[in-house]
Amino acid sequence: MKRTVMSIFGTRPEANKMCPLVRELESRGEIESIVCVTAQHREMLDQMLAAFDVHPDYDLNIMEKRQTLSTITAKAMTGLEGILQKVRPDIVLVHGDTTTTFASALAAFYNHIAIGHVEAGLRSFDLQSPYPEEANRRLVGALADVHFSPTKNNAANLRRERINAPVFVTGNTAIDALKLTVREDYAFENEALRKLRFDQKKVIAITAHRRENYGAPMENIMSALGRIARAHPEAQLVYPVHLSPYVQETAHRHLDGIENVLLIDPLGVADMHNLMARAFFVMTDSGGLQEEAPALGKPVLVLRRETERPEAVEAGTVRVIGTEEEAIVSEAGILLSGGARYHQMAHAVNPYGDGFACRRIADDLLYYLGERDTPAEDFSAGGA
Ligand code: UD1
Ligand code: UDP
């Protein structure tokens, strides 16, 4: 009999990293793959589902404008209860560190259903930053029955917490997704991107949305971006703005009307990945971009005080520069000058995956469920 695996996710980054895995699970004869989305995000989730041609079996459609962490948690858990009781999957897979991730894991736990945590073991070691993600992933780490860690470093974090459940090192499925999207002959869907002259301007790809940056840090970031644009006419800032009303308001207030700043709606994932692949460098507070850009050989300035992804910092392609205005303006200026710092940072590194994470996770999952005799060989950056 097939084993029922229910993947539950709700936001753009979870979808980006779970959809390639869903496709892999669907290809396995031993598995009945069910997809349930909370739709903590709506438009940004739907963009990802369309890009990967994934059609959810269940959709809780919980998103509200300016939703709070409590409403997301309560609506997701209440909605999941009946579905989990009806389907009774052999295991639920959750991803990463969002509120959907935590609420889904807790709902599975309350219903005595096993939990597999994909992208397990990332830690910033600061409960307040990223907020609330560090708490979410630690809580799911405590609840999960099996962990799929992208890197050896992530697995070591779990072992230090004396987690007894099995931990597999698989690579990050973000890199699997990247392999499907980036092409040299890619034609952008977004019209403004189609018109950009990547050969004539130093394009900076930008995203920013983190909750712990709401308030003064976000004001600093936007103000710094405006100054960078005005001081560097050779630069073209491209910023697809997250749909959060808070982020929209702040970004437009600071950046509207500046000639070399392009503020656009969130991009389809293929456009986003190909934008990064053609950019001069990337500025972001996003987790996913910190994994994707290094694989594309692009320097990244991280607009946060810490990171749970130290691997690319150690490899030299990512710098964590904080959220102070002066520091952001000065670091971007150094990279724009294209000197030694730029060249030190602009080399492709792949500490997060080799494009085969989904295959490993499916093999390890079948091993965990007793359907295979051996697990996959662990992912090791730079080869086994
Ligand atoms: C969430 C995750 C964060 C993740 C981020 C990725 C939590 C607590 N946070 O944060 O870990 O890095 O997603 O983007 O789980 N909105 C729309 N349409 C959309 C998506 C969002 O209108 O498709 C608006 C809504 O008004 C919503 C707001 O954005 O209320 C904020 O969304 P929410 O999921 O609460 O927070 P994010 O900052 O997106
Ligand atoms: N992304 C996208 N369109 C955009 C901005 C980001 O498809 O306009 C992709 C990005 O390439 C990455 C994922 O969304 O794969 C990251 O999502 P986000 O930054 O929202 O969340 P985080 O990674 O910080 O949790």
Side-chain angles (χ1 to χ4, degrees):
M1 217 174 64
K2 288 194 180 197
R3 310 302 294 266
T4 306
V5 178
M6 182 186 280
S7 303
I8 309 179
F9 50 92
T11 65
R12 169 170 72 189
E14 295 165 79
N16 176 54
K17 294 172 173 180
M18 286 300 277
C19 286
L21 178 59
V22 166
R23 302 308 300 264
E24 177 72 28
L25 298 176
E26 285 169 354
S27 77
R28 303 294 180 113
E30 306 92 327
I31 292 175
E32 167 83 15
S33 168
I34 309 265
V35 173
C36 174
V37 294
T38 62
Q40 173 179 335
H41 287 173
R42 185 72 274 168
E43 300 88 339
M44 287 159 54
L45 173 74
D46 291 344
Q47 275 182 312
M48 281 290 179
L49 293 171
F52 290 99
D53 199 21
V54 166
H55 304 272
D57 301 276
Y58 300 94
D59 187 334
L60 302 179
N61 198 25
I62 67 170
M63 194 189 85
E64 292 171 17
K65 289 282 164 212
R66 294 191 187 262
Q67 58 202 358
T68 68
L69 300 177
S70 303
T71 58
I72 303 169
T73 310
K75 285 173 87 174
M77 286 192 71
T78 319
L80 282 169
E81 181 111 300
I83 296 168
L84 289 173
Q85 282 172 6
K86 181 173 143 207
V87 179
R88 294 224 62 85
D90 292 294
I91 190 164
V92 150
L93 294 183
V94 296
H95 180 279
D97 55 20
T98 74
T99 296
T100 285
T101 314
F102 169 59
S104 307
L106 190 58
F109 178 73
Y110 282 169
N111 285 281
H112 302 288
I113 293 169
I115 301 158
H117 189 198
V118 181
E119 196 175 276
L122 279 67
R123 296 289 183 269
S124 67
F125 306 103
D126 178 354
L127 261 187
Q128 297 302 321
S129 187
Y131 174 89
E133 290 82 1
E134 177 76 0
N136 285 339
R137 58 193 171 219
R138 285 200 216 173
L139 292 162
V140 177
L143 294 173
D145 298 277
V146 54
H147 306 261
F148 304 99
S149 282
T151 69
K152 279 183 182 160
N153 170 46
N154 304 147
N157 287 340
L158 293 174
R159 295 201 181 98
R160 264 195 300 275
E161 289 172 14
R162 299 183 184 277
I163 298 264
N164 288 321
V167 179
F168 299 102
V169 181
T170 62
N172 198 309
T173 60
I175 308 300
D176 297 28
L178 214 51
K179 275 185 142 185
L180 301 172
T181 50
V182 176
R183 287 197 312 271
E184 246 175 59
D185 62 349
Y186 182 77
F188 286 104
E189 275 176 31
N190 182 289
E191 217 177 300
L193 291 187
R194 239 183 283 141
K195 289 187 192 142
L196 271 189
R197 295 301 307 262
F198 289 90
D199 53 340
Q200 290 177 7
K201 287 274 194 179
K202 289 183 171 166
V203 171
I204 310 177
I206 298 161
T207 72
H209 67 81
R210 300 232 79 84
R211 272 175 200 259
E212 75 272 12
N213 281 343
Y214 283 16
M218 192 76 79
E219 297 288 338
N220 295 345
I221 291 171
M222 301 300 172
S223 176
L225 293 175
R227 280 176 58 189
I228 294 163
R230 289 191 185 94
H232 295 278
E234 78 280 16
Q236 171 67 58
L237 281 62
V238 181
Y239 178 4
V241 186
H242 190 292
L243 294 179
S244 154
Y246 179 81
V247 180
Q248 285 278 338
E249 189 278 319
T250 317
H252 284 282
R253 177 160 43 79
H254 283 273
L255 301 171
D256 270 351
I258 305 178
E259 199 193 344
N260 55 342
V261 178
L262 184 58
L263 291 187
I264 44 182
D265 279 342
L267 292 169
V269 66
D271 269 10
M272 187 66 206
H273 288 172
N274 283 281
L275 167 64
M276 278 192 281
R278 288 157 180 75
F280 193 57
F281 65 89
V282 173
M283 298 176 76
T284 189
D285 66 4
S286 153
L289 266 71
Q290 289 180 58
E291 294 154 350
E292 294 163 346
L296 298 168
K298 302 301 168 174
V300 183
L301 299 179
V302 174
L303 306 168
R304 287 167 53 177
R305 290 180 284 116
E306 42 46 47
T307 182
E308 59 292 276
R309 294 169 169 89
E311 294 86 350
V313 178
E314 280 152 26
T317 63
V318 170
R319 280 174 72 83
V320 180
I321 64 168
T323 55
E324 294 302 328
E325 188 173 326
E326 292 305 326
I328 297 170
V329 172
S330 133
E331 293 282 342
I334 293 171
L335 283 192
L336 279 168
S337 72
R341 169 84 66 74
Y342 181 83
H343 292 287
Q344 277 157 17
M345 291 178 75
H347 57 273
V349 293
N350 250 334
Y352 301 112
D354 57 1
F356 298 105
C358 295
R359 196 159 83 188
R360 286 194 193 88
I361 293 170
D363 285 349
D364 291 336
L365 180 62
L366 287 169
Y367 172 74
Y368 173 78
L369 293 170
E371 300 288 331
R372 256 178 76 104
D373 294 336
T374 51
E377 219 170 284
D378 274 357
F379 164 70
S380 167

